[in-house]
Amino acid sequence: MVKSSEVDESPNHFMVLDAISRRINSLDKIVVSTKLQKDLVELILNDLLTQRLIVKSEKKGLFFGRKKTQMGITETGIKLLNAKKRELEQKRLEMQQSYDNGDGTRLQSYMNANRTWIPLMLFSGIMDMMFFTSMMSFMGLGINPMESAILGGGGGTGNSQDAGSS
């Protein structure tokens, strides 16, 4: 069983929880939308079920009586997800303020402290892609593979080398 504090520190858990809150409720659809590996999503779903942040239900399929497993978010899950989104929105505002003021050192420290949460911020719409890529360009940093997957392309992994060749 995963402790609540461990779930609270896992961006992937929140990405799956956010997907379920948006009615992306089957394992395969969650894998596609979050771009996480299927076995990892299965482990996360089990953790979220154990924590009672989601519920599992089975619906009868249309063909050959096959059952279809679907996930739904509980009220506790909604409260936890909304609290995390508010926290991340505050962090995004701090990054935006540093960016707007041209304070690269402060922005760099915010990015380093919150880098693991960036994919969730992009996935849930807390941070838009234009602002994220502008920040990365401003600091001369490359995009890691998870962020690149969330942005929707394979060409973003080497931005720090590409920036100087233009």
Side-chain angles (χ1 to χ4, degrees), residues 95-108:
M95 285 187 251
Q96 179 81 46
Q97 186 176 20
S98 296
Y99 177 78
D100 290 343
N101 293 337
D103 189 349
T105 306
R106 192 165 157 203
L107 182 58
Q108 181 77 41

Side-chain angles (χ1 to χ4, degrees), residues 58-69:
E58 290 190 2
K59 280 182 139 181
K60 201 171 195 179
L62 295 175
F63 301 106
F64 306 112
R66 292 187 350 179
K67 292 182 180 178
K68 201 173 167 183
T69 303

Side-chain angles (χ1 to χ4, degrees), residues 87-88 90-101 103-118 121 127 131-132 135-136 139 141 147:
E87 177 188 327
L88 293 174
Q90 184 61 40
K91 290 178 181 188
R92 187 203 56 83
L93 288 172
E94 292 168 355
M95 285 187 251
Q96 179 81 46
Q97 186 176 20
S98 296
Y99 177 78
D100 290 343
N101 293 337
D103 189 349
T105 306
R106 192 165 157 203
L107 182 58
Q108 181 77 41
S109 71
Y110 280 131
M111 285 294 293
N112 289 340
N114 299 298
R115 187 81 185 236
T116 59
W117 292 100
I118 298 293
M121 294 169 97
M127 180 184 295
F131 174 61
F132 174 71
M135 276 192 327
M136 296 302 281
M139 294 182 300
L141 297 175
E147 293 160 346

